[in-house]
Amino acid sequence: MKKTSKSISGTSFHGTTITTSYKKLCEVIGEPTYSHNSGDDKVNFEWVMETDSGEVFTIYDWKEYRPISGEETIEWHIGGFDSATTQKALLDLLKSIMN
């Protein structure tokens, strides 16, 4: 998996989440594509990624409405064009986190 500049227009949440910290996500996939950790918006952090086979997905916090600390473990949403993509992204993320 890697960061991408492909369009995320039309991606959505399909029920796939991962519970981890901001710090761990940064260690595994790098700094977020978008970041505004004020708690003023529905999303503080978002990564725009693609799987090794080129499927686009996003990882983002949803409606925390507060600043998120780096060490805090929260539930992150994984968005994509379909649930198969978000499930594949989750598996790839879990493998990366476990290594």
PDB file of all heavy atoms in Angstrom, residues 4-17:
ATOM      1  N   THR A   4      -1.453   8.006  -2.494  1.00  0.00           N
ATOM      2  CA  THR A   4      -1.807   8.209  -3.892  1.00  0.00           C
ATOM      3  C   THR A   4      -2.369   9.605  -4.105  1.00  0.00           C
ATOM      4  O   THR A   4      -2.820  10.256  -3.163  1.00  0.00           O
ATOM      5  CB  THR A   4      -2.847   7.156  -4.354  1.00  0.00           C
ATOM      6  OG1 THR A   4      -3.049   7.274  -5.755  1.00  0.00           O
ATOM      7  CG2 THR A   4      -4.183   7.340  -3.647  1.00  0.00           C
ATOM      8  N   SER A   5      -2.332  10.035  -5.352  1.00  0.00           N
ATOM      9  CA  SER A   5      -2.968  11.300  -5.732  1.00  0.00           C
ATOM     10  C   SER A   5      -4.214  11.026  -6.572  1.00  0.00           C
ATOM     11  O   SER A   5      -4.791  11.953  -7.124  1.00  0.00           O
ATOM     12  CB  SER A   5      -1.978  12.179  -6.499  1.00  0.00           C
ATOM     13  OG  SER A   5      -1.538  11.507  -7.659  1.00  0.00           O
ATOM     14  N   LYS A   6      -4.618   9.760  -6.646  1.00  0.00           N
ATOM     15  CA  LYS A   6      -5.838   9.417  -7.368  1.00  0.00           C
ATOM     16  C   LYS A   6      -7.052  10.043  -6.664  1.00  0.00           C
ATOM     17  O   LYS A   6      -7.025  10.271  -5.463  1.00  0.00           O
ATOM     18  CB  LYS A   6      -6.018   7.904  -7.431  1.00  0.00           C
ATOM     19  CG  LYS A   6      -5.015   7.197  -8.306  1.00  0.00           C
ATOM     20  CD  LYS A   6      -5.304   5.707  -8.329  1.00  0.00           C
ATOM     21  CE  LYS A   6      -4.325   4.950  -9.197  1.00  0.00           C
ATOM     22  NZ  LYS A   6      -4.595   3.488  -9.166  1.00  0.00           N
ATOM     23  N   SER A   7      -8.101  10.263  -7.421  1.00  0.00           N
ATOM     24  CA  SER A   7      -9.320  10.869  -6.880  1.00  0.00           C
ATOM     25  C   SER A   7     -10.012   9.938  -5.882  1.00  0.00           C
ATOM     26  O   SER A   7     -10.098   8.731  -6.115  1.00  0.00           O
ATOM     27  CB  SER A   7     -10.285  11.190  -8.016  1.00  0.00           C
ATOM     28  OG  SER A   7     -11.519  11.645  -7.490  1.00  0.00           O
ATOM     29  N   ILE A   8     -10.501  10.536  -4.803  1.00  0.00           N
ATOM     30  CA  ILE A   8     -11.298   9.784  -3.833  1.00  0.00           C
ATOM     31  C   ILE A   8     -12.783  10.112  -3.970  1.00  0.00           C
ATOM     32  O   ILE A   8     -13.603   9.651  -3.183  1.00  0.00           O
ATOM     33  CB  ILE A   8     -10.821  10.040  -2.385  1.00  0.00           C
ATOM     34  CG1 ILE A   8     -10.918  11.512  -2.027  1.00  0.00           C
ATOM     35  CG2 ILE A   8      -9.424   9.491  -2.186  1.00  0.00           C
ATOM     36  CD1 ILE A   8     -10.680  11.817  -0.556  1.00  0.00           C
ATOM     37  N   SER A   9     -13.134  10.885  -4.982  1.00  0.00           N
ATOM     38  CA  SER A   9     -14.525  11.259  -5.214  1.00  0.00           C
ATOM     39  C   SER A   9     -15.367  10.004  -5.425  1.00  0.00           C
ATOM     40  O   SER A   9     -15.062   9.190  -6.291  1.00  0.00           O
ATOM     41  CB  SER A   9     -14.623  12.174  -6.435  1.00  0.00           C
ATOM     42  OG  SER A   9     -15.966  12.524  -6.666  1.00  0.00           O
ATOM     43  N   GLY A  10     -16.376   9.843  -4.607  1.00  0.00           N
ATOM     44  CA  GLY A  10     -17.245   8.672  -4.695  1.00  0.00           C
ATOM     45  C   GLY A  10     -16.919   7.587  -3.692  1.00  0.00           C
ATOM     46  O   GLY A  10     -17.650   6.605  -3.591  1.00  0.00           O
ATOM     47  N   THR A  11     -15.813   7.737  -2.938  1.00  0.00           N
ATOM     48  CA  THR A  11     -15.532   6.752  -1.899  1.00  0.00           C
ATOM     49  C   THR A  11     -16.479   7.004  -0.728  1.00  0.00           C
ATOM     50  O   THR A  11     -16.981   8.109  -0.543  1.00  0.00           O
ATOM     51  CB  THR A  11     -14.072   6.822  -1.405  1.00  0.00           C
ATOM     52  OG1 THR A  11     -13.815   8.115  -0.860  1.00  0.00           O
ATOM     53  CG2 THR A  11     -13.092   6.512  -2.525  1.00  0.00           C
ATOM     54  N   SER A  12     -16.709   5.968   0.056  1.00  0.00           N
ATOM     55  CA  SER A  12     -17.576   6.101   1.227  1.00  0.00           C
ATOM     56  C   SER A  12     -17.238   5.020   2.243  1.00  0.00           C
ATOM     57  O   SER A  12     -16.439   4.118   1.985  1.00  0.00           O
ATOM     58  CB  SER A  12     -19.044   6.004   0.812  1.00  0.00           C
ATOM     59  OG  SER A  12     -19.316   4.756   0.218  1.00  0.00           O
ATOM     60  N   PHE A  13     -17.882   5.112   3.377  1.00  0.00           N
ATOM     61  CA  PHE A  13     -17.687   4.164   4.472  1.00  0.00           C
ATOM     62  C   PHE A  13     -18.554   2.932   4.226  1.00  0.00           C
ATOM     63  O   PHE A  13     -19.741   3.043   3.933  1.00  0.00           O
ATOM     64  CB  PHE A  13     -18.061   4.849   5.789  1.00  0.00           C
ATOM     65  CG  PHE A  13     -17.893   3.996   7.002  1.00  0.00           C
ATOM     66  CD1 PHE A  13     -16.658   3.476   7.336  1.00  0.00           C
ATOM     67  CD2 PHE A  13     -18.969   3.733   7.826  1.00  0.00           C
ATOM     68  CE1 PHE A  13     -16.491   2.704   8.469  1.00  0.00           C
ATOM     69  CE2 PHE A  13     -18.824   2.960   8.964  1.00  0.00           C
ATOM     70  CZ  PHE A  13     -17.582   2.447   9.283  1.00  0.00           C
ATOM     71  N   HIS A  14     -17.944   1.757   4.364  1.00  0.00           N
ATOM     72  CA  HIS A  14     -18.658   0.487   4.154  1.00  0.00           C
ATOM     73  C   HIS A  14     -18.622  -0.392   5.400  1.00  0.00           C
ATOM     74  O   HIS A  14     -18.718  -1.614   5.301  1.00  0.00           O
ATOM     75  CB  HIS A  14     -18.045  -0.270   2.963  1.00  0.00           C
ATOM     76  CG  HIS A  14     -18.246   0.418   1.665  1.00  0.00           C
ATOM     77  ND1 HIS A  14     -19.388   0.286   0.906  1.00  0.00           N
ATOM     78  CD2 HIS A  14     -17.463   1.294   0.991  1.00  0.00           C
ATOM     79  CE1 HIS A  14     -19.295   1.023  -0.179  1.00  0.00           C
ATOM     80  NE2 HIS A  14     -18.129   1.650  -0.151  1.00  0.00           N
ATOM     81  N   GLY A  15     -18.459   0.248   6.566  1.00  0.00           N
ATOM     82  CA  GLY A  15     -18.485  -0.492   7.825  1.00  0.00           C
ATOM     83  C   GLY A  15     -17.148  -1.031   8.296  1.00  0.00           C
ATOM     84  O   GLY A  15     -17.085  -1.714   9.316  1.00  0.00           O
ATOM     85  N   THR A  16     -16.070  -0.734   7.592  1.00  0.00           N
ATOM     86  CA  THR A  16     -14.749  -1.243   7.963  1.00  0.00           C
ATOM     87  C   THR A  16     -14.012  -0.213   8.806  1.00  0.00           C
ATOM     88  O   THR A  16     -13.907   0.951   8.413  1.00  0.00           O
ATOM     89  CB  THR A  16     -13.928  -1.571   6.697  1.00  0.00           C
ATOM     90  OG1 THR A  16     -14.680  -2.464   5.878  1.00  0.00           O
ATOM     91  CG2 THR A  16     -12.605  -2.212   7.056  1.00  0.00           C
ATOM     92  N   THR A  17     -13.492  -0.649   9.947  1.00  0.00           N
ATOM     93  CA  THR A  17     -12.734   0.240  10.836  1.00  0.00           C
ATOM     94  C   THR A  17     -11.477  -0.468  11.320  1.00  0.00           C
ATOM     95  O   THR A  17     -11.359  -1.692  11.237  1.00  0.00           O
ATOM     96  CB  THR A  17     -13.562   0.657  12.073  1.00  0.00           C
ATOM     97  OG1 THR A  17     -13.887  -0.513  12.832  1.00  0.00           O
ATOM     98  CG2 THR A  17     -14.838   1.394  11.671  1.00  0.00           C
TER      99      THR A  17
END
